[in-house]
Amino acid sequence: TRVGVLISGTGTNLQALIDQAKRPSSSAQIVVVISNRPGVQGLKRASLAGIQTRVVDHKLYGSRAEFDSTINTVLEEFGVELVCLAGFMRILTGTFVKKWTGKLLNIHPSLLPSFKGVNAQKQALQAGVRVAGCTVHFVAEEVDAGAIIVQEAVPVLVGDTEDSLCDRIREAEHRAFPTALELVASGTVRLGNDGHIEWRSPL
Ligand SMILES: Nc1nc2ccc(CNc3ccc(C(=O)NCCCC(=O)O)cc3)cc2c(=O)[nH]1
Ligand SMILES: N[C@@H]1O[C@H](COP(=O)(O)O)[C@@H](O)[C@H]1O
């Protein structure tokens, strides 16, 4: 399965996906990495891995629709069949999400539906939860509300700071996202027409 990865920054999740796609058993082949910001470390990670990169700078577009349309064109140019949002921080328009429904995955640093939106880790700390984690989900128009594919829980430890919790969640992300990518890329898991996850039964 030809995969496109959208990033906005460091790309530690991208790196985890790259490492997974390298494995001979992988069903996924990352064919392009697109960043909405120039010069970010994620672009260097892609180049080092021999993956083509493109920058689609959202500041250069008059509307979200034009920005999303350009991203769509790049994805089609590379024959992408599955898109991963890996630290991608722009909200996507309904038109784009509809086009890629069931083929658009995102990693969120909380156990959805708890703590949607930005700074989810901080929300968890402030809520005083003892268990946190991350979620890989299909992207729906409503932000952080799509069908859940994989989750991994981590403990919140006494004395945790936002940074220590972020680090622990990020390690979980680097396991959860590659696992979810393989499940969808291999056809084991798909998004049903009713908007729920469908697991392919053996035989
Ligand atoms: N329609 C749709 N699109 C998304 C785009 C990115 C992400 C990644 N997670 C994200 C979740 C939240 C945000 C956010 O609220 N950022 C501040 C506003 C930035 C902006 O103005 O664009 C960004 C990414 C998830 C979604 C999603 O669930 N649905
Ligand atoms: N989606 C969120 O973006 C952050 C940065 O990810 P990365 O750029 O290091 O992959 C991570 O915390 C991830 O949960």
Side-chain angles (χ1 to χ4, degrees), residues 168-193:
R168 195 171 311 118
I169 291 173
R170 200 165 317 157
E171 284 174 11
E173 289 173 22
H174 299 164
R175 292 186 291 270
F177 212 168
T179 298
L181 174 58
E182 180 56 29
L183 283 170
V184 179
S186 64
T188 305
V189 163
R190 66 180 185 186
L191 184 63
N193 292 328

mmCIF file of all heavy atoms in Angstrom, residues 168-193:
data_model
loop_
_atom_site.group_PDB
_atom_site.id
_atom_site.type_symbol
_atom_site.label_atom_id
_atom_site.label_comp_id
_atom_site.label_asym_id
_atom_site.label_seq_id
_atom_site.Cartn_x
_atom_site.Cartn_y
_atom_site.Cartn_z
ATOM 1 N N ARG A 168 6.574 9.895 27.838
ATOM 2 C CA ARG A 168 6.059 8.537 28.004
ATOM 3 C C ARG A 168 4.975 8.232 26.965
ATOM 4 O O ARG A 168 4.930 7.157 26.383
ATOM 5 C CB ARG A 168 5.507 8.318 29.420
ATOM 6 C CG ARG A 168 5.269 6.872 29.803
ATOM 7 C CD ARG A 168 4.941 6.713 31.294
ATOM 8 N NE ARG A 168 5.883 7.430 32.149
ATOM 9 C CZ ARG A 168 5.532 8.428 32.960
ATOM 10 N NH1 ARG A 168 4.273 8.835 33.040
ATOM 11 N NH2 ARG A 168 6.449 9.024 33.690
ATOM 12 N N ILE A 169 4.104 9.231 26.710
ATOM 13 C CA ILE A 169 3.045 9.040 25.711
ATOM 14 C C ILE A 169 3.662 8.890 24.322
ATOM 15 O O ILE A 169 3.252 8.041 23.536
ATOM 16 C CB ILE A 169 2.035 10.207 25.745
ATOM 17 C CG1 ILE A 169 1.224 10.183 27.041
ATOM 18 C CG2 ILE A 169 1.110 10.160 24.534
ATOM 19 C CD1 ILE A 169 0.327 11.392 27.252
ATOM 20 N N ARG A 170 4.716 9.675 24.060
ATOM 21 C CA ARG A 170 5.309 9.633 22.727
ATOM 22 C C ARG A 170 5.911 8.258 22.431
ATOM 23 O O ARG A 170 5.826 7.749 21.322
ATOM 24 C CB ARG A 170 6.372 10.710 22.549
ATOM 25 C CG ARG A 170 6.669 11.024 21.074
ATOM 26 C CD ARG A 170 7.425 12.298 20.957
ATOM 27 N NE ARG A 170 6.757 13.186 21.896
ATOM 28 C CZ ARG A 170 7.266 14.255 22.472
ATOM 29 N NH1 ARG A 170 8.399 14.683 22.190
ATOM 30 N NH2 ARG A 170 6.650 14.964 23.342
ATOM 31 N N GLU A 171 6.489 7.622 23.466
ATOM 32 C CA GLU A 171 7.028 6.270 23.264
ATOM 33 C C GLU A 171 5.907 5.309 22.894
ATOM 34 O O GLU A 171 6.059 4.451 22.023
ATOM 35 C CB GLU A 171 7.762 5.795 24.518
ATOM 36 C CG GLU A 171 9.129 6.443 24.694
ATOM 37 C CD GLU A 171 9.781 6.086 26.015
ATOM 38 O OE1 GLU A 171 9.267 5.178 26.708
ATOM 39 O OE2 GLU A 171 10.789 6.722 26.359
ATOM 40 N N ALA A 172 4.747 5.507 23.517
ATOM 41 C CA ALA A 172 3.585 4.669 23.197
ATOM 42 C C ALA A 172 3.110 4.950 21.766
ATOM 43 O O ALA A 172 2.755 4.034 21.014
ATOM 44 C CB ALA A 172 2.461 4.917 24.195
ATOM 45 N N GLU A 173 3.131 6.239 21.377
ATOM 46 C CA GLU A 173 2.741 6.620 20.011
ATOM 47 C C GLU A 173 3.584 5.875 18.979
ATOM 48 O O GLU A 173 3.080 5.415 17.943
ATOM 49 C CB GLU A 173 2.936 8.127 19.805
ATOM 50 C CG GLU A 173 1.966 9.000 20.545
ATOM 51 C CD GLU A 173 2.330 10.472 20.436
ATOM 52 O OE1 GLU A 173 3.050 10.857 19.504
ATOM 53 O OE2 GLU A 173 1.865 11.241 21.292
ATOM 54 N N HIS A 174 4.868 5.751 19.273
ATOM 55 C CA HIS A 174 5.814 5.151 18.324
ATOM 56 C C HIS A 174 5.603 3.655 18.201
ATOM 57 O O HIS A 174 6.163 3.026 17.304
ATOM 58 C CB HIS A 174 7.261 5.491 18.707
ATOM 59 C CG HIS A 174 7.528 6.960 18.700
ATOM 60 N ND1 HIS A 174 8.633 7.514 19.298
ATOM 61 C CD2 HIS A 174 6.813 7.998 18.202
ATOM 62 C CE1 HIS A 174 8.586 8.837 19.158
ATOM 63 N NE2 HIS A 174 7.500 9.146 18.488
ATOM 64 N N ARG A 175 4.801 3.064 19.067
ATOM 65 C CA ARG A 175 4.383 1.656 18.921
ATOM 66 C C ARG A 175 2.996 1.576 18.283
ATOM 67 O O ARG A 175 2.746 0.786 17.378
ATOM 68 C CB ARG A 175 4.378 0.962 20.286
ATOM 69 C CG ARG A 175 5.768 0.773 20.895
ATOM 70 C CD ARG A 175 5.718 -0.046 22.182
ATOM 71 N NE ARG A 175 5.070 0.671 23.274
ATOM 72 C CZ ARG A 175 5.716 1.459 24.144
ATOM 73 N NH1 ARG A 175 7.025 1.643 24.043
ATOM 74 N NH2 ARG A 175 5.060 2.083 25.121
ATOM 75 N N ALA A 176 2.115 2.447 18.755
ATOM 76 C CA ALA A 176 0.710 2.377 18.332
ATOM 77 C C ALA A 176 0.525 2.733 16.856
ATOM 78 O O ALA A 176 -0.213 2.051 16.128
ATOM 79 C CB ALA A 176 -0.134 3.296 19.211
ATOM 80 N N PHE A 177 1.218 3.797 16.398
ATOM 81 C CA PHE A 177 0.998 4.255 15.020
ATOM 82 C C PHE A 177 1.471 3.212 13.992
ATOM 83 O O PHE A 177 0.708 2.855 13.077
ATOM 84 C CB PHE A 177 1.660 5.622 14.790
ATOM 85 C CG PHE A 177 0.933 6.508 13.803
ATOM 86 C CD1 PHE A 177 1.272 7.852 13.683
ATOM 87 C CD2 PHE A 177 -0.089 6.015 12.991
ATOM 88 C CE1 PHE A 177 0.615 8.694 12.783
ATOM 89 C CE2 PHE A 177 -0.750 6.835 12.076
ATOM 90 C CZ PHE A 177 -0.391 8.177 11.974
ATOM 91 N N PRO A 178 2.699 2.673 14.123
ATOM 92 C CA PRO A 178 3.124 1.627 13.185
ATOM 93 C C PRO A 178 2.206 0.407 13.191
ATOM 94 O O PRO A 178 1.914 -0.171 12.146
ATOM 95 C CB PRO A 178 4.546 1.277 13.644
ATOM 96 C CG PRO A 178 5.034 2.517 14.328
ATOM 97 C CD PRO A 178 3.820 3.077 15.024
ATOM 98 N N THR A 179 1.715 0.062 14.376
ATOM 99 C CA THR A 179 0.795 -1.083 14.477
ATOM 100 C C THR A 179 -0.491 -0.805 13.703
ATOM 101 O O THR A 179 -0.957 -1.630 12.920
ATOM 102 C CB THR A 179 0.464 -1.370 15.958
ATOM 103 O OG1 THR A 179 1.667 -1.710 16.641
ATOM 104 C CG2 THR A 179 -0.549 -2.506 16.093
ATOM 105 N N ALA A 180 -1.039 0.385 13.901
ATOM 106 C CA ALA A 180 -2.280 0.761 13.215
ATOM 107 C C ALA A 180 -2.070 0.849 11.706
ATOM 108 O O ALA A 180 -2.904 0.378 10.922
ATOM 109 C CB ALA A 180 -2.789 2.090 13.754
ATOM 110 N N LEU A 181 -0.924 1.408 11.296
ATOM 111 C CA LEU A 181 -0.643 1.523 9.869
ATOM 112 C C LEU A 181 -0.624 0.139 9.215
ATOM 113 O O LEU A 181 -1.237 -0.070 8.159
ATOM 114 C CB LEU A 181 0.687 2.242 9.635
ATOM 115 C CG LEU A 181 1.166 2.286 8.164
ATOM 116 C CD1 LEU A 181 0.140 2.966 7.260
ATOM 117 C CD2 LEU A 181 2.520 2.974 8.077
ATOM 118 N N GLU A 182 0.051 -0.813 9.861
ATOM 119 C CA GLU A 182 0.129 -2.160 9.280
ATOM 120 C C GLU A 182 -1.255 -2.807 9.216
ATOM 121 O O GLU A 182 -1.604 -3.447 8.214
ATOM 122 C CB GLU A 182 1.098 -3.029 10.078
ATOM 123 C CG GLU A 182 1.241 -4.459 9.554
ATOM 124 C CD GLU A 182 1.663 -4.531 8.080
ATOM 125 O OE1 GLU A 182 2.365 -3.601 7.606
ATOM 126 O OE2 GLU A 182 1.260 -5.497 7.407
ATOM 127 N N LEU A 183 -2.068 -2.585 10.259
ATOM 128 C CA LEU A 183 -3.416 -3.179 10.278
ATOM 129 C C LEU A 183 -4.248 -2.681 9.099
ATOM 130 O O LEU A 183 -4.941 -3.454 8.433
ATOM 131 C CB LEU A 183 -4.118 -2.838 11.594
ATOM 132 C CG LEU A 183 -3.692 -3.628 12.826
ATOM 133 C CD1 LEU A 183 -4.290 -3.018 14.081
ATOM 134 C CD2 LEU A 183 -4.087 -5.099 12.690
ATOM 135 N N VAL A 184 -4.161 -1.368 8.819
ATOM 136 C CA VAL A 184 -4.974 -0.795 7.736
ATOM 137 C C VAL A 184 -4.340 -1.075 6.375
ATOM 138 O O VAL A 184 -5.033 -1.475 5.429
ATOM 139 C CB VAL A 184 -5.181 0.717 7.951
ATOM 140 C CG1 VAL A 184 -5.997 1.312 6.805
ATOM 141 C CG2 VAL A 184 -5.891 0.981 9.274
ATOM 142 N N ALA A 185 -3.027 -0.951 6.280
ATOM 143 C CA ALA A 185 -2.324 -1.162 4.999
ATOM 144 C C ALA A 185 -2.458 -2.607 4.523
ATOM 145 O O ALA A 185 -2.496 -2.873 3.314
ATOM 146 C CB ALA A 185 -0.851 -0.797 5.137
ATOM 147 N N SER A 186 -2.569 -3.534 5.470
ATOM 148 C CA SER A 186 -2.673 -4.968 5.120
ATOM 149 C C SER A 186 -4.127 -5.375 4.866
ATOM 150 O O SER A 186 -4.397 -6.500 4.441
ATOM 151 C CB SER A 186 -2.120 -5.823 6.260
ATOM 152 O OG SER A 186 -2.915 -5.639 7.425
ATOM 153 N N GLY A 187 -5.066 -4.467 5.149
ATOM 154 C CA GLY A 187 -6.486 -4.780 4.940
ATOM 155 C C GLY A 187 -7.117 -5.539 6.094
ATOM 156 O O GLY A 187 -8.267 -5.985 6.008
ATOM 157 N N THR A 188 -6.382 -5.687 7.179
ATOM 158 C CA THR A 188 -6.910 -6.402 8.356
ATOM 159 C C THR A 188 -8.033 -5.600 9.011
ATOM 160 O O THR A 188 -9.025 -6.156 9.468
ATOM 161 C CB THR A 188 -5.777 -6.643 9.371
ATOM 162 O OG1 THR A 188 -4.704 -7.334 8.707
ATOM 163 C CG2 THR A 188 -6.248 -7.453 10.562
ATOM 164 N N VAL A 189 -7.815 -4.274 9.020
ATOM 165 C CA VAL A 189 -8.806 -3.363 9.604
ATOM 166 C C VAL A 189 -9.230 -2.364 8.535
ATOM 167 O O VAL A 189 -8.405 -1.909 7.754
ATOM 168 C CB VAL A 189 -8.193 -2.598 10.816
ATOM 169 C CG1 VAL A 189 -9.018 -1.375 11.160
ATOM 170 C CG2 VAL A 189 -8.079 -3.520 12.028
ATOM 171 N N ARG A 190 -10.532 -2.081 8.484
ATOM 172 C CA ARG A 190 -10.984 -1.013 7.583
ATOM 173 C C ARG A 190 -12.142 -0.266 8.238
ATOM 174 O O ARG A 190 -12.697 -0.723 9.252
ATOM 175 C CB ARG A 190 -11.411 -1.594 6.247
ATOM 176 C CG ARG A 190 -12.628 -2.478 6.347
ATOM 177 C CD ARG A 190 -13.029 -3.053 5.005
ATOM 178 N NE ARG A 190 -14.288 -3.805 5.184
ATOM 179 C CZ ARG A 190 -14.840 -4.520 4.230
ATOM 180 N NH1 ARG A 190 -14.262 -4.592 3.040
ATOM 181 N NH2 ARG A 190 -15.958 -5.174 4.448
ATOM 182 N N LEU A 191 -12.482 0.865 7.657
ATOM 183 C CA LEU A 191 -13.592 1.660 8.161
ATOM 184 C C LEU A 191 -14.866 1.172 7.469
ATOM 185 O O LEU A 191 -14.954 1.189 6.239
ATOM 186 C CB LEU A 191 -13.360 3.145 7.875
ATOM 187 C CG LEU A 191 -14.398 4.109 8.438
ATOM 188 C CD1 LEU A 191 -14.416 4.054 9.960
ATOM 189 C CD2 LEU A 191 -14.108 5.535 7.961
ATOM 190 N N GLY A 192 -15.824 0.693 8.265
ATOM 191 C CA GLY A 192 -17.089 0.204 7.702
ATOM 192 C C GLY A 192 -17.935 1.362 7.196
ATOM 193 O O GLY A 192 -17.684 2.516 7.544
ATOM 194 N N ASN A 193 -18.949 1.050 6.402
ATOM 195 C CA ASN A 193 -19.839 2.093 5.863
ATOM 196 C C ASN A 193 -20.665 2.754 6.958
ATOM 197 O O ASN A 193 -21.194 3.844 6.780
ATOM 198 C CB ASN A 193 -20.754 1.500 4.782
ATOM 199 C CG ASN A 193 -19.950 1.096 3.546
ATOM 200 O OD1 ASN A 193 -18.943 1.737 3.230
ATOM 201 N ND2 ASN A 193 -20.345 0.014 2.909
#
